[in-house]
Amino acid sequence: MSGRRWIAVVLAIGGAGYLVWFATRPPEVVVADLEPEHEAQELEPTLATKEREIPEANVDLPPLDPVALLAEFSSNDFQRQRKAYLLAMTPRPLHYDKPLATWLVAHLKSGGWLTHWGRTLLGKMGADAAEHLRPLFTSDNPHERREALKIASRWKKQGSAPRVNPPLLALLQDGDRHVKNAAWLYAGSGIPYDEEVANHLVSVMEPVNGVGWPGPEIALARMGPKGIARLVALLDDSELVLNALGGLAHAPPSELTKLQDRIAPFIRDEDEEVAVNAIWALAPLEGDSEASIPALAGALGHESVVVLDAALQIFEQMGPRGAKAAPDVLQLLDYDNDKIVTRAAGILGQFKTDPEAVMPALADAAKDDVNEAAAAALGAFGAEAMPHALRAYAEADDDGRYALLLTFRALGPLAKEAVPQLVAAIEGDDAMMQGRAVQALATIGPDAASAIPSIRSQMTAGEIATNTGVRTLMQLGPEGRASVIDLLATKDDKERRDVVMAMSWAYGGTAFALDDLDRIARNDRDTETRRAALQAVYVSMSVPRRPWTNPKADPVLVARVRRILEAYTQDKHKRIRNYAVGALAEMKAKGKN
């Protein structure tokens, strides 16, 4: 038999098998079948439900029926089991049920594909299911011991774990590393201090470069003041100092505040790994107070780039609350490392303190080092930054000027004094300078209307893209919008199409040209141009940069847009007709009818 005939036979057999399966497959159970009386609650879950989260139960909702769930789980039909699981993962309460808990624990023992589902659902039942769990802690099967610990950790987070009371010391000494890790995880969730457990955690520590999770150091840090005291004692051990600092980083901020003087000297340690771990140990203080600022500022004088970067990351997180460190951060603008200078500049822009010293330094960094972060940070100081930006722009070379254009863009209308410089930039030969200058003019707005002739000229010459030019003109007040309408009246089909295309993505900015866009949508010879004109009409109701999401659109504008779109629902071209019908349907769905 030839190869082709063999292929035909195989396909025929496969097709017949599929038809037999399709005809005999069990009926699909919908979620509502589990509890018909609750169908009106509209709690049917979607496949987007996060399977790894236990939702917070809502006592106002009807509880789940454990008998119905057990029937679905034991059906041996994956789709039915999955739907039942997704229903169980909604906010509806799931009370303890002995038969269901017994079935779930049995599948924990099997290690099968329902292991995760059983763990999460037992966790939802809470510690009432503890009687099923306790025997697993002493099981000969390491898989059962590990799963029992994972469930106990979930209950611990729910505040019910003391009722479980696993033999923690024995589990921490387990020969299976997965069980041991799960025991560390449980201990790290916060348990009362136990001397024997603490002694074991210290005994198993090994010198490391940083501390990961789970681990004995973090478990000690979560055991309260006595556990933290054991870590503090290890700070004098040169081999375990990194372990101690890594564990202290997970201690409560209230405890770390008391230890600031003890940890701070390590920030200046010559060993960069010790210094970085000390920085991160003090980092939690930033959420509660400014107590750690002096110590962290001391790290800004360290010779290691790694240490400097770690300390600056903390100040980035602190934002304006770390402004007391501004003098120390300011010194780093002269540092011989672009990454450090960039991070320091950004932080100074967040601080916005000591402007007389900071603004000239940022302007010089943007001018001399072509540091764009410094230019953007300078713009954060507002109108006071303009003299410094103009001075630096006049002194800078082309690269420095390119960076400083970010300052003008960040200042927006406050940068109106820079319009002559921006016009000169768009009339130059550097395409990148032109693009950034045009962006700055758009943010300045109507006060930059004097730039319109230059923008039009460069658009005609092909130096500025139509899309960029049109969107900029639309931001330049009445004169700019009049210029756009003039562009719509062009006789050049391609130019008109490009202008309409640009407007079709200018969310919230096209209401001024509805009549012209309607005329183009009705009369233009190009179907694509007509469709783009209709889209430009539709997006006139939108919020800038957020398409079709303006719940507060002007009712008069909405009615006008609807009337225009309705006129095209019977258009002879299917593409135009479909767009109009779809846009009207979307308006209706969003209440704009």
Side-chain angles (χ1 to χ4, degrees):
M1 185 180 294
S2 67
R4 290 185 178 181
R5 289 184 178 180
W6 272 113
I7 294 173
V9 170
V10 170
L11 291 175
I13 294 173
Y18 174 79
L19 290 174
V20 171
W21 170 84
F22 188 82
T24 60
R25 76 191 194 286
E28 188 173 303
V29 177
V30 296
V31 177
D33 291 340
L34 293 175
E35 296 187 82
E37 67 273 21
H38 299 318
E39 186 174 353
Q41 296 292 332
E42 296 183 353
L43 292 175
E44 188 170 332
T46 66
L47 294 181
T49 302
K50 293 184 179 180
E51 297 183 9
R52 294 187 177 275
E53 295 181 359
I54 297 179
E56 185 176 350
N58 187 340
V59 295
D60 295 329
L61 297 174
L64 294 162
D65 182 356
V67 176
L69 285 176
L70 180 57
E72 297 303 298
F73 282 139
S74 56
S75 67
N76 294 323
D77 184 311
F78 175 77
Q79 291 302 325
R80 292 173 63 183
Q81 290 170 329
R82 179 176 174 80
K83 286 188 176 183
Y85 170 76
L86 290 174
L87 177 65
M89 292 303 291
T90 63
R92 293 171 62 173
L94 176 60
H95 300 315
Y96 169 70
D97 178 74
K98 186 172 183 178
L100 179 59
T102 301
W103 188 89
L104 293 171
V105 169
H107 282 76
L108 284 181
K109 292 182 178 182
S110 72
W113 54 269
L114 274 174
T115 295
H116 168 68
W117 292 8
R119 188 194 314 149
T120 54
L121 293 179
L122 283 169
K124 191 172 185 179
M125 285 186 186
D128 288 333
E131 64 177 275
H132 301 271
L133 206 62
R134 291 192 183 98
L136 301 185
F137 290 126
T138 56
S139 168
D140 293 334
N141 186 337
H143 173 80
E144 296 175 13
R145 300 195 298 273
R146 182 183 66 190
E147 292 303 319
L149 279 167
K150 289 182 177 180
I151 296 172
S153 295
R154 289 182 182 273
W155 291 343
K156 184 73 175 130
K157 294 178 181 178
Q158 297 171 352
S160 52
R163 297 176 60 179
V164 183
N165 195 26
L168 186 57
L169 182 59
L171 292 167
L172 285 169
Q173 297 172 331
D174 199 281
D176 185 276
R177 66 182 181 89
H178 297 295
V179 175
K180 190 182 302 183
N181 286 346
W184 282 343
L185 186 66
Y186 177 81
S189 63
I191 61 173
Y193 181 78
D194 182 284
E195 188 71 23
E196 290 185 346
V197 171
N199 289 338
H200 173 76
L201 292 173
V202 172
S203 69
V204 297
M205 288 186 190
E206 297 179 358
V208 294
N209 295 328
V211 179
W213 173 271
E217 301 84 359
I218 298 173
L220 274 175
R222 300 284 174 80
M223 292 176 69
K226 291 184 178 179
I228 293 172
R230 297 294 297 269
L231 288 173
V232 172
L234 296 176
L235 290 175
D236 296 324
D237 187 328
S238 60
E239 292 187 353
L240 296 179
V241 63
L242 285 174
N243 302 64
L245 290 170
L248 288 172
H250 295 270
S254 58
E255 294 294 329
L256 285 174
T257 301
K258 305 172 186 176
L259 299 172
Q260 177 185 327
D261 293 339
R262 185 74 174 85
I263 298 174
F266 291 96
I267 286 180
R268 297 183 292 274
D269 197 281
E270 293 182 359
D271 186 328
E272 66 180 28
E273 292 178 344
V274 172
V276 168
N277 275 269
I279 288 170
W280 287 108
L282 288 177
L285 295 182
E286 60 91 10
D288 290 343
S289 69
E290 299 177 355
S292 61
I293 291 178
L296 291 171
L300 299 180
H302 204 284
E303 295 182 357
S304 168
V305 173
V306 175
V307 176
L308 291 178
D309 189 58
L312 289 173
Q313 287 183 51
I314 303 303
F315 283 114
E316 279 183 337
Q317 297 172 13
M318 296 179 76
R321 289 180 294 111
K324 290 182 180 179
D328 299 280
V329 178
L330 182 61
Q331 301 301 316
L332 295 178
L333 289 182
D334 296 326
Y335 198 80
D336 188 21
N337 183 285
D338 290 342
K339 181 179 180 181
I340 296 300
V341 173
T342 295
R343 203 181 285 279
I347 292 170
L348 290 170
Q350 293 183 54
F351 289 171
K352 299 180 186 177
T353 56
D354 195 11
E356 294 184 0
V358 172
M359 288 192 295
L362 289 173
D364 289 340
K367 176 192 68 171
D368 299 330
D369 301 331
V370 196
N371 192 289
E372 296 190 352
L378 180 60
F381 283 83
E384 294 180 279
M386 270 304 293
H388 302 282
L390 290 171
R391 184 265 304 169
Y393 192 87
E395 298 173 354
D397 58 14
D398 287 345
D399 291 336
R401 290 184 174 186
Y402 180 70
L404 284 161
L405 288 175
L406 287 178
T407 304
F408 300 136
R409 189 176 74 181
L411 288 170
L414 298 176
K416 60 184 179 181
E417 297 177 35
V419 170
Q421 288 86 342
L422 296 173
V423 169
I426 65 174
E427 291 177 348
D429 299 327
D430 190 320
M432 295 181 66
M433 288 280 287
Q434 289 173 340
R436 188 167 283 183
V438 166
Q439 293 173 2
L441 288 167
T443 63
I444 293 173
D447 287 329
S450 60
I452 292 174
S454 297
I455 294 173
R456 289 288 300 270
S457 174
Q458 293 297 83
M459 289 174 64
T460 302
E463 297 294 331
I464 296 178
T466 301
N467 183 53
T468 302
V470 168
R471 295 198 191 190
T472 301
L473 291 171
M474 290 171 61
Q475 304 299 319
L476 302 187
E479 296 178 48
R481 292 192 288 272
S483 184
V484 173
I485 291 176
D486 183 57
L487 287 171
L488 289 173
T490 179
K491 301 292 186 181
D492 187 308
D493 291 345
K494 182 181 182 305
E495 183 179 346
R496 183 172 57 257
R497 177 178 177 177
D498 290 344
V499 173
V500 174
M501 286 290 185
M503 297 180 71
S504 70
W505 298 102
Y507 303 115
T510 58
F512 70 93
L514 290 187
D515 290 339
D516 298 271
L517 292 168
D518 185 18
R519 171 179 54 78
I520 292 172
R522 185 181 306 109
N523 301 324
D524 203 276
R525 291 171 293 184
D526 181 63
T527 303
E528 191 62 29
T529 302
R530 295 182 63 206
R531 185 204 172 280
L534 280 183
Q535 180 170 316
V537 169
Y538 186 41
V539 301
S540 65
M541 302 181 297
S542 304
V543 176
R545 294 181 297 279
R546 295 179 61 195
W548 308 301
T549 57
N550 186 4
K552 299 180 180 179
D554 180 9
V556 176
L557 174 61
V558 172
R560 189 177 176 193
V561 170
R562 186 171 60 251
R563 285 195 301 271
I564 292 174
L565 292 172
E566 286 173 346
Y568 295 90
T569 56
Q570 302 299 323
D571 195 89
K572 63 180 180 180
H573 289 284
K574 182 178 179 180
R575 185 167 173 77
I576 303 299
R577 187 168 62 249
N578 287 349
Y579 183 84
V581 171
L584 287 167
E586 191 170 47
M587 290 177 68
K588 183 177 181 180
K590 295 182 178 180
K592 296 181 174 63
N593 50 12

